[in-house]
Amino acid sequence: GADAGALRGFSATRVLLELLPGDEEGLSRLAEEVEWAGAKLRTGGAAIPSPAVLAGFLHTCLALEIPFKLTAGLHSPISHNGEFGFLSVLVAAARGLADDLTVSEIQALLIAPALPTITSQEAEDVRDLFLAIGSCDLAAMAQVLA
């Protein structure tokens, strides 16, 4: 991995570092050593992480208060056919933070066929950590958010 110390003094509000899927040690080091950075994980494309890996990433970021972004994939609102849904991920992260869920509980929410409800306060609370998602399918997102 890259030496995060080499980025000291970089003039940005927040730098998001892409870690390898399942690199919980890297996330821990990020939280301990680099207060100006967050984490990024790809959730689609050629190497979609398993639900367990994504749940571990979310759990660690929430527990260590690491701001994060998810990119690629996330084209549908609800997870299905082996792909993660952007609302499924948001709800799993919000519930994970609000209820201090375990990795396996977050994983169950990521792949659930129906979404549990979250309050607007829970969505706002997780927004401090869950900075953004990347999706190529703006039409699907616009339909859900309309």
Side-chain angles (χ1 to χ4, degrees):
D3 178 13
L7 296 174
R8 289 197 202 293
F10 192 83
S11 61
T13 302
R14 176 81 54 201
V15 174
L16 300 175
L17 303 174
E18 185 170 351
L19 302 174
L20 294 173
D23 186 2
E24 306 303 325
E25 181 181 331
L27 286 172
S28 294
R29 284 190 57 218
L30 185 66
E32 292 171 11
E33 300 175 18
V34 193
E35 72 277 352
W36 46 264
K40 174 182 154 187
L41 181 70
R42 292 186 186 275
T43 53
I48 298 173
S50 70
V53 166
L54 179 53
F57 176 84
L58 292 174
H59 182 268
T60 301
C61 287
L62 296 171
L64 299 178
E65 298 181 354
I66 301 169
F68 63 93
K69 174 183 179 175
L70 301 174
T71 62
L74 303 176
H75 302 298
S76 301
I78 310 294
S79 299
H80 72 286
N81 295 332
E83 293 186 355
F84 299 108
F86 55 87
L87 289 179
S88 298
V89 174
L90 172 64
V91 167
R95 288 262 52 93
L97 181 63
D99 297 335
D100 194 26
L101 299 181
T102 65
V103 173
S104 61
E105 290 169 326
I106 293 172
Q107 180 179 340
L109 290 175
L110 287 172
I111 60 175
L115 296 175
T117 59
I118 60 171
T119 67
S120 58
Q121 185 61 55
E122 290 167 339
E124 189 175 320
D125 290 346
V126 80
R127 182 71 174 104
D128 291 336
L129 295 174
F130 194 165
L131 302 178
I133 63 167
S135 176
C136 300
D137 196 345
L138 295 178
M141 291 180 79
Q143 284 180 329
V144 170
L145 300 175

